[in-house]
Amino acid sequence: MLDQTTRAAILRLRLEGHGARRIASTIGISRNAVRQVLRAGTAEVPRLDRPELGDAHREEILGLYADCKGNLVRVHEKLRDAGATLSYQALTAFCRRHGLGREPVKPSGQYTFGPGVEMQHDTSPHDAKIAGKLRRVQTASLVLCYSRMIYIQCVQSFTRFACKVFLADALRYFAGSAHRCMIDNTHVVVLHGTGKDMVPVPEMAAFADRYGFTFVAHEKGDANRSARVERPFDFIENNFFAGREFSDLDDLNAQAVTWCDKVNAASRRSLHGSARELFAAERPHLVPLPIWTPEVYLLHHRIVDVEGYVSVNSCRYSAPWKLIGRQLEVRETKAEVMIFEGPRLVGTHRKTQALGQGRATLPEHRPPRGQGGTPSAPAVEERQLLEAAPEIAGYITALKQHAAGRGTVALRRLQRLLREYPRRPVIEAIRAAETYGLFDLERLERMVLRGIARDFFPQDGGDDGGHDDE
């Protein structure tokens, strides 16, 4: 079929007075084709109205499409079983022309960003070979949208604390921040709402305000809005992690910074240069970093256990032995665990990467050799007994040595004797028991009862009162 430009040329040559034979030989088509165009008298290409093979089965196709959940292979099988001679290609063409099975393709948009306007942040899980084993890590990435400068780091789990540590490191790497940070609707930053209605967590909003930017979330389902940071994750997976091994997480992150330096300096055809070159133009438009920012830390309150340790993330860190039993403030930073007694720093540990059984001990936190620990305070029962009857202090000390454990049960029973029986028989029985080394409290109680019987229930004597017989 002749296209519209050829048909227009035929009509123009006819108006100039040329015959059909001359026109046909000049354009290189048949005379019949020239005559058809001249009879039509228009350059518009006529539409061919051909009957569709699927029209005869239209209602049947619509019903089967819903029953088969959009599976055209099953629709075709059922049509063939019903006696239809429609081919699979004719069925798919019919569904395509009538909008069945797929939505019409929408034109893609384009986002343009000026220097320092926006940066995008997201995370993605990856498998890294650390110490000879594959371990799942969370890769956090921040990209400047204008220059495409990228910065990545990996953590075991991406929490709100990890997010603030990463962003602080990334902004120091860029020596500034863009005016807004585009994120997905992650709970790490989002308090409630999505898209333009997103409200950030106050803690994260305060962090962003300190560095001079605001968090913005893309609309739900509009993942293309954060394509600047989403697209490089495939490159990270197949370039950075491919063929690399790491001794630990610190080694991984050190190699990640080196890799970012290399990638940012590499020339890209799409940018007509390198990200570093574009960054030189973007840097003056970034929000400058504050002259000082406090180090990001996670606050814990821990009680020093009987071994002189505090626990953070299932790892144990030593504290001064004199603070056993005290509640201390523990600040967890990116690389350290700092222990405070009130405002005073009493210990700083490097964070251990061991999982579950890590232990870090500072020599100054242990007592000097031969000095031992602090003497344990007397039990409550012992203090109460000494206050009630200080004269039996020797017996109490000996009783604790002979009783099981710390002697709490024996001391409580001794308290009961003092509380339930008269004081003098109990004290006399305890003195006698201490003299003969008797620490069986059953026998001690029987001695107390005999003393009470002798004092309060005396037996009748042989004296008849001096009466004379008459």
Side-chain angles (χ1 to χ4, degrees):
M1 181 178 290
L2 300 178
D3 59 30
Q4 192 164 340
T5 58
T6 303
R7 296 169 71 89
I10 292 171
L11 294 174
R12 182 173 56 81
L13 291 172
R14 183 61 173 174
L15 289 175
E16 292 175 358
H18 299 287
R21 185 187 297 272
R22 182 72 179 273
I23 296 172
S25 63
T26 301
I27 298 178
I29 58 176
S30 66
R31 283 174 287 174
N32 287 334
V34 173
R35 293 189 184 101
Q36 289 177 2
V37 174
L38 295 176
R39 280 196 298 268
T42 178
E44 186 177 352
V45 181
R47 293 187 177 275
L48 297 178
D49 295 328
R50 297 176 180 174
E52 290 194 62
L53 298 178
D55 284 339
H57 308 283
R58 181 181 179 85
E59 298 300 328
E60 210 173 342
I61 292 173
L62 293 176
L64 290 174
Y65 184 84
D67 293 341
C68 297
K69 300 180 180 179
N71 190 328
L72 293 182
V73 175
R74 291 290 299 139
V75 172
H76 183 250
E77 291 175 354
K78 285 185 171 290
L79 287 174
R80 294 294 298 271
D81 293 342
T85 58
L86 188 67
S87 67
Y88 180 72
Q89 291 77 7
L91 172 64
T92 55
F94 175 82
C95 293
R96 185 167 54 252
R97 281 190 289 269
H98 291 80
L100 293 177
R102 65 174 66 182
E103 295 191 5
V105 179
K106 297 179 181 178
S108 60
Q110 184 179 9
Y111 297 101
T112 57
F113 304 97
V117 172
E118 182 172 304
M119 55 188 178
Q120 296 182 359
H121 163 59
D122 202 359
T123 61
S124 178
H126 293 102
D127 291 324
K129 196 167 186 180
I130 301 176
K133 296 181 180 180
L134 278 180
R135 285 176 51 186
R136 176 59 58 93
V137 295
Q138 297 293 328
T139 304
S141 174
L142 187 70
V143 176
L144 295 178
C145 294
Y146 176 77
S147 62
R148 312 306 206 275
M149 283 278 288
I150 187 172
Y151 180 80
I152 65 170
Q153 291 283 271
C154 296
V155 294
Q156 293 179 358
S157 60
F158 199 72
T159 61
R160 194 165 295 151
F161 166 65
C163 179
K164 291 194 292 184
V165 169
F166 166 74
L167 289 177
D169 289 345
L171 297 180
R172 281 193 292 269
Y173 181 81
F174 296 143
S177 66
H179 288 79
R180 66 171 178 256
C181 181
M182 175 61 65
I183 58 170
D184 60 3
N185 294 282
T186 171
H187 70 281
V188 173
V189 177
V190 176
L191 179 63
H192 60 79
T194 58
K196 64 180 181 181
D197 298 324
M198 185 273 293
V199 176
V201 176
E203 175 185 351
M204 299 304 294
F207 174 84
D209 185 64
R210 176 177 296 157
Y211 286 93
F213 69 91
T214 56
F215 284 108
V216 181
H218 64 66
E219 295 296 334
K220 191 174 182 180
D222 186 16
N224 289 335
R225 180 64 180 83
S226 57
R228 287 284 197 277
V229 70
E230 290 283 358
R231 185 176 181 182
F233 278 125
D234 181 71
F235 182 57
I236 294 170
E237 172 74 24
N238 297 297
N239 187 284
F240 174 65
F241 286 106
R244 280 188 171 88
E245 296 187 14
F246 314 99
S247 59
D248 54 25
L249 201 58
D250 290 338
D251 178 39
L252 189 158
N253 287 326
Q255 293 192 39
V257 174
T258 304
W259 180 84
C260 289
D261 292 338
K262 179 181 177 182
V263 170
N264 291 328
S267 180
R268 304 186 201 177
R269 182 167 42 185
S270 60
L271 300 180
H272 305 286
S274 67
R276 281 285 180 191
E277 294 170 351
L278 291 178
F279 179 68
E282 183 176 23
R283 184 168 182 176
H285 299 274
L286 296 177
V287 179
L289 296 178
I291 59 173
W292 176 83
T293 54
E295 187 174 12
V296 178
Y297 65 86
L298 184 62
L299 183 62
H300 308 275
H301 290 94
R302 296 289 187 268
I303 295 178
V304 184
D305 62 20
V306 294
E307 295 183 15
Y309 290 88
V310 293
S311 178
V312 178
N313 298 330
S314 300
C315 297
R316 304 178 72 196
Y317 300 91
S318 66
W321 59 279
K322 293 184 178 180
L323 300 179
I324 290 176
R326 296 279 299 278
Q327 179 171 301
L328 304 180
E329 182 181 285
V330 181
R331 298 181 185 179
E332 177 189 358
T333 66
K334 177 184 177 181
E336 295 179 332
V337 172
M338 298 184 293
I339 304 174
F340 285 82
E341 182 192 11
R344 291 174 293 278
L345 179 66
V346 295
T348 302
H349 295 269
R350 180 173 176 81
K351 281 178 66 174
T352 176
Q353 296 184 14
L355 298 178
Q357 298 298 327
R359 179 182 295 213
T361 306
L362 297 178
E364 59 268 23
H365 288 170
R366 303 296 90 184
R369 187 175 181 84
Q371 180 173 334
T374 56
S376 58
V380 176
E381 294 80 2
E382 182 178 354
R383 292 200 303 270
Q384 292 175 349
L385 280 171
L386 291 174
E387 291 173 0
E391 61 270 25
I392 63 172
Y395 184 76
I396 292 175
T397 302
L399 179 63
K400 286 175 59 180
Q401 294 176 353
H402 288 80
R406 299 178 61 184
T408 304
V409 175
L411 293 176
R412 287 177 180 174
R413 189 162 184 179
L414 195 60
Q415 276 185 304
R416 183 180 63 81
L417 295 179
L418 280 170
R419 184 172 58 250
E420 296 181 356
Y421 297 118
R423 179 184 179 85
R424 188 171 63 81
V426 173
I427 298 299
E428 291 178 353
I430 291 175
R431 286 173 176 170
E434 184 178 4
T435 301
Y436 296 103
L438 175 64
F439 301 102
D440 184 352
L441 296 185
E442 291 284 351
R443 295 184 60 185
L444 179 65
E445 187 170 8
R446 289 197 294 271
M447 292 168 60
V448 172
L449 291 173
R450 283 198 298 269
I452 293 173
R454 182 178 63 251
D455 293 343
F456 294 93
F457 306 102
Q459 296 181 357
D460 295 336
D463 190 1
D464 57 2
H467 295 286
D468 296 329
D469 294 335
E470 292 181 357

